[in-house]
Every structure is written in C-alpha cells, then in structure tokens.
Amino acid sequence: MKIAAIIVSYNSARELPLSLGCLAALPVDHVVVVDNSSTDDSVEVAKSFGYQVISLPNVGFGKAINAAADTIPDADAYFLLNPDCHITAESFGPLMETLRADPKVGVAAPLMRYPDGRFGISSGPAPSMAKEWLAALKVDHLVPRGLKRYLATAAPLRKKFKMLEYLDAQPAAQVREADWVSGFCMLVRGDAFRSIGGFDPGFFLYFEDVDLCTRLLAGGWGVASVGMSVAEHKESSSTAAVGKSNLYRAGMYVYFTKHGTRGQQLLASALRRLPI
C-alpha cells in the first residue's frame, strides 16, 4: 500500500516537530507539507526534515490537502495529520488493517487523546442543529456531571437521541461505523478520496472533514472509527470553546446550506449571526 502523508501548516513552527517527527517510524512512502502563508518559521522547520514543502496563500485546510494530493495522484491512501498531533507505529497499524480488511471502507481514523490523558471527540453521528444550539447556549454547562455520565451510557436514550453520543468519548477496542471522523488524523483510501473529488473547496476551516465523510457515505464508502488506534493531540481546546469560533460557525453554515433541510439552514443562519 503506497501511503502519502500530508500535513497542513499555518504558523505551526513549534508544533511541526511533533507530527513530522513521528512519520519516520511509519510506513509512509511520501510526505508533503503544505504551508498556508505562515509568518513564522514553519517552512524552514518542515524543510529541515527533508520533506517536500508546498507554499500557498492561506487557502484553508481542504484546498491545501487537495493541492498536496494532486502531486501524488497514484497514492493508495492519504494519511492526514495535524501539525500538533503524533501517532505511533503501533496505533497506525490498525488504521492500515481496517482499510485492508474491508475494501469498501473509505476512511479510518483513530481516537483522540490529549496530553492530560482525556479523550476528545474524534467521531460522531450526523450533525444536529439541536446539538449546535445547545453548545452555543452553553446548556451542557448546566447539566450535572453525573447526569452526563448516565446519558452517555444509556443505550436506549442514545439510540433515540443520536447527539448523546457526543457525551461519550471513552475508548472502545473495536472498529465502529460513524457518520464522520475528525480530520485531525485520518487515513483516507485514495480511490475513495479521488472518487468524490477530494475536499470541497467551499469550506475554509471546520466541517470540511464532516462533509468529506458525508459524501463518502453517499458514494457507498464506509467511515470507520478505530478504537485500537490512538493519536495524541496537543491542542486542548474544548469542543465548547471551538464552538464559539466564527470560523467554526462559518463552516457549520456551509455544511447545513449544502446538506441540511430548509429548517436546518434557517437555524444555521441564525446561529451564525448569534454574538460570540
């Protein structure tokens, strides 16, 4: 399996050694770093590792990945890794095995773990405007921790209310189907990626990974969260904090404009205008 690793940097000089440093131990055949007009030493740091560097205007995440993938059009898989992440060979292996075991799996992703040992949300059910509004209004802050644990593990409730899956980020030693997996670290089958035209350039940042998975599923490809694989993520911002970002809301709006019902589109538009 010919694997091309792609990392997108934007003022990531301090983080790049973390991600680039782990690649030597992985069975990757080619590495491309795409720099989105950094003003720090990101390009110099990337070049010091001896990898190919593509310098672009700040085109966002998806366009940068597409540009790198275009330079390796025959890759069997593209390994996407954020600059502030790293993964061991032991955790990378299950991602490869997941693609090998089922030729219809289009993307496989690991669990996300922060430096303090907490697990972050790296996959989930289909996006929900109810979840987005609850997060924006900080309703989750009012829910007692004990009740959150109960809701996270109550199977009948989770079956009825899919968004409750977001309360459960604990690892499970299995491969699970998901509606989306996070682009912080993912192994995408080359044929699947090319069959849908890669990332949608209409997204700048946030929700481009969710959109990719939505289109893969529509094309008959599977989306897998691999519980035997864990990638360390240095960034420790909470989901709630990310949800306050104008960029996050812009990506959310593009997603629901593209995939949502009329009602969801109106709610996404209203949420986008809500003060941060």
PDB file of all heavy atoms in Angstrom, residues 3-28:
ATOM      1  N   ILE A   3       1.417   4.902   0.685  1.00  0.00           N
ATOM      2  CA  ILE A   3       0.767   5.879   1.555  1.00  0.00           C
ATOM      3  C   ILE A   3       1.498   7.216   1.472  1.00  0.00           C
ATOM      4  O   ILE A   3       2.729   7.283   1.616  1.00  0.00           O
ATOM      5  CB  ILE A   3       0.741   5.389   3.009  1.00  0.00           C
ATOM      6  CG1 ILE A   3      -0.035   4.071   3.100  1.00  0.00           C
ATOM      7  CG2 ILE A   3       0.126   6.437   3.929  1.00  0.00           C
ATOM      8  CD1 ILE A   3      -0.034   3.455   4.477  1.00  0.00           C
ATOM      9  N   ALA A   4       0.748   8.279   1.243  1.00  0.00           N
ATOM     10  CA  ALA A   4       1.294   9.634   1.226  1.00  0.00           C
ATOM     11  C   ALA A   4       0.775  10.386   2.445  1.00  0.00           C
ATOM     12  O   ALA A   4      -0.433  10.468   2.659  1.00  0.00           O
ATOM     13  CB  ALA A   4       0.879  10.358  -0.055  1.00  0.00           C
ATOM     14  N   ALA A   5       1.692  10.897   3.248  1.00  0.00           N
ATOM     15  CA  ALA A   5       1.320  11.683   4.424  1.00  0.00           C
ATOM     16  C   ALA A   5       1.254  13.152   4.045  1.00  0.00           C
ATOM     17  O   ALA A   5       2.125  13.655   3.325  1.00  0.00           O
ATOM     18  CB  ALA A   5       2.320  11.466   5.552  1.00  0.00           C
ATOM     19  N   ILE A   6       0.201  13.833   4.517  1.00  0.00           N
ATOM     20  CA  ILE A   6       0.019  15.253   4.216  1.00  0.00           C
ATOM     21  C   ILE A   6      -0.239  16.013   5.509  1.00  0.00           C
ATOM     22  O   ILE A   6      -1.099  15.628   6.305  1.00  0.00           O
ATOM     23  CB  ILE A   6      -1.167  15.477   3.253  1.00  0.00           C
ATOM     24  CG1 ILE A   6      -0.969  14.696   1.958  1.00  0.00           C
ATOM     25  CG2 ILE A   6      -1.335  16.970   2.950  1.00  0.00           C
ATOM     26  CD1 ILE A   6      -2.175  14.756   1.019  1.00  0.00           C
ATOM     27  N   ILE A   7       0.536  17.079   5.719  1.00  0.00           N
ATOM     28  CA  ILE A   7       0.366  17.946   6.882  1.00  0.00           C
ATOM     29  C   ILE A   7       0.193  19.375   6.390  1.00  0.00           C
ATOM     30  O   ILE A   7       0.951  19.845   5.533  1.00  0.00           O
ATOM     31  CB  ILE A   7       1.579  17.859   7.828  1.00  0.00           C
ATOM     32  CG1 ILE A   7       1.677  16.457   8.440  1.00  0.00           C
ATOM     33  CG2 ILE A   7       1.494  18.919   8.934  1.00  0.00           C
ATOM     34  CD1 ILE A   7       2.911  16.236   9.291  1.00  0.00           C
ATOM     35  N   VAL A   8      -0.825  20.056   6.894  1.00  0.00           N
ATOM     36  CA  VAL A   8      -1.062  21.461   6.547  1.00  0.00           C
ATOM     37  C   VAL A   8      -0.602  22.322   7.718  1.00  0.00           C
ATOM     38  O   VAL A   8      -1.029  22.113   8.862  1.00  0.00           O
ATOM     39  CB  VAL A   8      -2.554  21.724   6.257  1.00  0.00           C
ATOM     40  CG1 VAL A   8      -2.786  23.209   5.960  1.00  0.00           C
ATOM     41  CG2 VAL A   8      -3.032  20.870   5.089  1.00  0.00           C
ATOM     42  N   SER A   9       0.263  23.274   7.433  1.00  0.00           N
ATOM     43  CA  SER A   9       0.779  24.137   8.498  1.00  0.00           C
ATOM     44  C   SER A   9       0.320  25.578   8.298  1.00  0.00           C
ATOM     45  O   SER A   9       0.181  26.057   7.173  1.00  0.00           O
ATOM     46  CB  SER A   9       2.316  24.088   8.538  1.00  0.00           C
ATOM     47  OG  SER A   9       2.877  24.646   7.360  1.00  0.00           O
ATOM     48  N   TYR A  10       0.088  26.220   9.427  1.00  0.00           N
ATOM     49  CA  TYR A  10      -0.178  27.663   9.439  1.00  0.00           C
ATOM     50  C   TYR A  10       0.383  28.193  10.750  1.00  0.00           C
ATOM     51  O   TYR A  10      -0.179  27.961  11.818  1.00  0.00           O
ATOM     52  CB  TYR A  10      -1.673  27.974   9.327  1.00  0.00           C
ATOM     53  CG  TYR A  10      -1.976  29.460   9.447  1.00  0.00           C
ATOM     54  CD1 TYR A  10      -1.602  30.335   8.431  1.00  0.00           C
ATOM     55  CD2 TYR A  10      -2.586  29.979  10.587  1.00  0.00           C
ATOM     56  CE1 TYR A  10      -1.849  31.698   8.540  1.00  0.00           C
ATOM     57  CE2 TYR A  10      -2.833  31.342  10.704  1.00  0.00           C
ATOM     58  CZ  TYR A  10      -2.463  32.194   9.679  1.00  0.00           C
ATOM     59  OH  TYR A  10      -2.698  33.545   9.796  1.00  0.00           O
ATOM     60  N   ASN A  11       1.536  28.858  10.660  1.00  0.00           N
ATOM     61  CA  ASN A  11       2.240  29.325  11.854  1.00  0.00           C
ATOM     62  C   ASN A  11       2.392  28.183  12.864  1.00  0.00           C
ATOM     63  O   ASN A  11       2.063  28.329  14.048  1.00  0.00           O
ATOM     64  CB  ASN A  11       1.512  30.515  12.481  1.00  0.00           C
ATOM     65  CG  ASN A  11       1.570  31.748  11.604  1.00  0.00           C
ATOM     66  OD1 ASN A  11       2.499  31.912  10.796  1.00  0.00           O
ATOM     67  ND2 ASN A  11       0.599  32.633  11.745  1.00  0.00           N
ATOM     68  N   SER A  12       2.898  27.066  12.365  1.00  0.00           N
ATOM     69  CA  SER A  12       2.988  25.837  13.157  1.00  0.00           C
ATOM     70  C   SER A  12       4.425  25.431  13.463  1.00  0.00           C
ATOM     71  O   SER A  12       4.699  24.252  13.701  1.00  0.00           O
ATOM     72  CB  SER A  12       2.291  24.689  12.408  1.00  0.00           C
ATOM     73  OG  SER A  12       0.986  25.024  12.048  1.00  0.00           O
ATOM     74  N   ALA A  13       5.345  26.386  13.454  1.00  0.00           N
ATOM     75  CA  ALA A  13       6.750  26.051  13.636  1.00  0.00           C
ATOM     76  C   ALA A  13       7.008  25.287  14.938  1.00  0.00           C
ATOM     77  O   ALA A  13       7.841  24.375  14.988  1.00  0.00           O
ATOM     78  CB  ALA A  13       7.602  27.325  13.598  1.00  0.00           C
ATOM     79  N   ARG A  14       6.303  25.637  16.005  1.00  0.00           N
ATOM     80  CA  ARG A  14       6.516  24.977  17.298  1.00  0.00           C
ATOM     81  C   ARG A  14       5.920  23.575  17.322  1.00  0.00           C
ATOM     82  O   ARG A  14       6.408  22.701  18.038  1.00  0.00           O
ATOM     83  CB  ARG A  14       5.918  25.815  18.423  1.00  0.00           C
ATOM     84  CG  ARG A  14       6.600  27.161  18.627  1.00  0.00           C
ATOM     85  CD  ARG A  14       5.940  27.960  19.736  1.00  0.00           C
ATOM     86  NE  ARG A  14       6.005  27.287  21.026  1.00  0.00           N
ATOM     87  CZ  ARG A  14       5.474  27.761  22.148  1.00  0.00           C
ATOM     88  NH1 ARG A  14       4.811  28.909  22.130  1.00  0.00           N
ATOM     89  NH2 ARG A  14       5.604  27.100  23.278  1.00  0.00           N
ATOM     90  N   GLU A  15       4.841  23.355  16.560  1.00  0.00           N
ATOM     91  CA  GLU A  15       4.149  22.069  16.606  1.00  0.00           C
ATOM     92  C   GLU A  15       4.674  21.062  15.594  1.00  0.00           C
ATOM     93  O   GLU A  15       4.587  19.849  15.817  1.00  0.00           O
ATOM     94  CB  GLU A  15       2.648  22.275  16.362  1.00  0.00           C
ATOM     95  CG  GLU A  15       1.912  22.989  17.472  1.00  0.00           C
ATOM     96  CD  GLU A  15       2.101  24.503  17.431  1.00  0.00           C
ATOM     97  OE1 GLU A  15       2.446  25.023  16.347  1.00  0.00           O
ATOM     98  OE2 GLU A  15       1.907  25.146  18.471  1.00  0.00           O
ATOM     99  N   LEU A  16       5.198  21.528  14.464  1.00  0.00           N
ATOM    100  CA  LEU A  16       5.581  20.624  13.387  1.00  0.00           C
ATOM    101  C   LEU A  16       6.544  19.503  13.796  1.00  0.00           C
ATOM    102  O   LEU A  16       6.394  18.376  13.317  1.00  0.00           O
ATOM    103  CB  LEU A  16       6.174  21.416  12.220  1.00  0.00           C
ATOM    104  CG  LEU A  16       5.154  22.041  11.259  1.00  0.00           C
ATOM    105  CD1 LEU A  16       5.842  22.993  10.296  1.00  0.00           C
ATOM    106  CD2 LEU A  16       4.402  20.966  10.497  1.00  0.00           C
ATOM    107  N   PRO A  17       7.537  19.766  14.650  1.00  0.00           N
ATOM    108  CA  PRO A  17       8.414  18.646  15.038  1.00  0.00           C
ATOM    109  C   PRO A  17       7.654  17.479  15.660  1.00  0.00           C
ATOM    110  O   PRO A  17       8.091  16.326  15.560  1.00  0.00           O
ATOM    111  CB  PRO A  17       9.365  19.299  16.052  1.00  0.00           C
ATOM    112  CG  PRO A  17       9.427  20.733  15.634  1.00  0.00           C
ATOM    113  CD  PRO A  17       8.027  21.058  15.193  1.00  0.00           C
ATOM    114  N   LEU A  18       6.504  17.751  16.285  1.00  0.00           N
ATOM    115  CA  LEU A  18       5.715  16.691  16.902  1.00  0.00           C
ATOM    116  C   LEU A  18       5.157  15.754  15.839  1.00  0.00           C
ATOM    117  O   LEU A  18       5.287  14.526  15.949  1.00  0.00           O
ATOM    118  CB  LEU A  18       4.570  17.304  17.713  1.00  0.00           C
ATOM    119  CG  LEU A  18       3.738  16.371  18.592  1.00  0.00           C
ATOM    120  CD1 LEU A  18       4.582  15.825  19.730  1.00  0.00           C
ATOM    121  CD2 LEU A  18       2.519  17.114  19.148  1.00  0.00           C
ATOM    122  N   SER A  19       4.558  16.305  14.808  1.00  0.00           N
ATOM    123  CA  SER A  19       3.958  15.480  13.760  1.00  0.00           C
ATOM    124  C   SER A  19       5.005  14.932  12.794  1.00  0.00           C
ATOM    125  O   SER A  19       5.026  13.723  12.498  1.00  0.00           O
ATOM    126  CB  SER A  19       2.909  16.286  12.983  1.00  0.00           C
ATOM    127  OG  SER A  19       3.447  17.514  12.532  1.00  0.00           O
ATOM    128  N   LEU A  20       5.881  15.790  12.311  1.00  0.00           N
ATOM    129  CA  LEU A  20       6.898  15.333  11.366  1.00  0.00           C
ATOM    130  C   LEU A  20       7.847  14.326  12.000  1.00  0.00           C
ATOM    131  O   LEU A  20       8.341  13.407  11.338  1.00  0.00           O
ATOM    132  CB  LEU A  20       7.685  16.528  10.826  1.00  0.00           C
ATOM    133  CG  LEU A  20       6.899  17.496   9.937  1.00  0.00           C
ATOM    134  CD1 LEU A  20       7.751  18.709   9.582  1.00  0.00           C
ATOM    135  CD2 LEU A  20       6.421  16.797   8.676  1.00  0.00           C
ATOM    136  N   GLY A  21       8.074  14.488  13.291  1.00  0.00           N
ATOM    137  CA  GLY A  21       8.997  13.595  13.975  1.00  0.00           C
ATOM    138  C   GLY A  21       8.503  12.169  14.087  1.00  0.00           C
ATOM    139  O   GLY A  21       9.310  11.239  14.211  1.00  0.00           O
ATOM    140  N   CYS A  22       7.183  11.968  14.048  1.00  0.00           N
ATOM    141  CA  CYS A  22       6.650  10.607  14.196  1.00  0.00           C
ATOM    142  C   CYS A  22       6.586   9.865  12.871  1.00  0.00           C
ATOM    143  O   CYS A  22       6.422   8.635  12.856  1.00  0.00           O
ATOM    144  CB  CYS A  22       5.284  10.626  14.864  1.00  0.00           C
ATOM    145  SG  CYS A  22       3.903  11.112  13.792  1.00  0.00           S
ATOM    146  N   LEU A  23       6.694  10.578  11.755  1.00  0.00           N
ATOM    147  CA  LEU A  23       6.480   9.944  10.458  1.00  0.00           C
ATOM    148  C   LEU A  23       7.577   8.958  10.076  1.00  0.00           C
ATOM    149  O   LEU A  23       7.315   8.002   9.332  1.00  0.00           O
ATOM    150  CB  LEU A  23       6.348  11.013   9.368  1.00  0.00           C
ATOM    151  CG  LEU A  23       5.124  11.933   9.484  1.00  0.00           C
ATOM    152  CD1 LEU A  23       5.125  12.956   8.353  1.00  0.00           C
ATOM    153  CD2 LEU A  23       3.833  11.128   9.459  1.00  0.00           C
ATOM    154  N   ALA A  24       8.787   9.176  10.570  1.00  0.00           N
ATOM    155  CA  ALA A  24       9.889   8.281  10.209  1.00  0.00           C
ATOM    156  C   ALA A  24       9.636   6.846  10.645  1.00  0.00           C
ATOM    157  O   ALA A  24      10.147   5.902  10.024  1.00  0.00           O
ATOM    158  CB  ALA A  24      11.195   8.794  10.823  1.00  0.00           C
ATOM    159  N   ALA A  25       8.845   6.674  11.693  1.00  0.00           N
ATOM    160  CA  ALA A  25       8.564   5.324  12.197  1.00  0.00           C
ATOM    161  C   ALA A  25       7.366   4.683  11.515  1.00  0.00           C
ATOM    162  O   ALA A  25       7.033   3.528  11.810  1.00  0.00           O
ATOM    163  CB  ALA A  25       8.328   5.377  13.712  1.00  0.00           C
ATOM    164  N   LEU A  26       6.708   5.415  10.621  1.00  0.00           N
ATOM    165  CA  LEU A  26       5.503   4.908   9.975  1.00  0.00           C
ATOM    166  C   LEU A  26       5.803   4.452   8.545  1.00  0.00           C
ATOM    167  O   LEU A  26       6.716   4.971   7.894  1.00  0.00           O
ATOM    168  CB  LEU A  26       4.430   5.995   9.939  1.00  0.00           C
ATOM    169  CG  LEU A  26       4.060   6.653  11.262  1.00  0.00           C
ATOM    170  CD1 LEU A  26       2.914   7.637  11.044  1.00  0.00           C
ATOM    171  CD2 LEU A  26       3.688   5.629  12.316  1.00  0.00           C
ATOM    172  N   PRO A  27       5.048   3.502   8.019  1.00  0.00           N
ATOM    173  CA  PRO A  27       5.267   3.006   6.652  1.00  0.00           C
ATOM    174  C   PRO A  27       4.670   3.933   5.597  1.00  0.00           C
ATOM    175  O   PRO A  27       3.814   3.536   4.809  1.00  0.00           O
ATOM    176  CB  PRO A  27       4.571   1.640   6.675  1.00  0.00           C
ATOM    177  CG  PRO A  27       3.445   1.814   7.639  1.00  0.00           C
ATOM    178  CD  PRO A  27       3.992   2.726   8.717  1.00  0.00           C
ATOM    179  N   VAL A  28       5.119   5.184   5.586  1.00  0.00           N
ATOM    180  CA  VAL A  28       4.653   6.139   4.582  1.00  0.00           C
ATOM    181  C   VAL A  28       5.716   6.281   3.504  1.00  0.00           C
ATOM    182  O   VAL A  28       6.916   6.235   3.781  1.00  0.00           O
ATOM    183  CB  VAL A  28       4.318   7.512   5.212  1.00  0.00           C
ATOM    184  CG1 VAL A  28       3.177   7.379   6.211  1.00  0.00           C
ATOM    185  CG2 VAL A  28       5.537   8.121   5.877  1.00  0.00           C
TER     186      VAL A  28
END
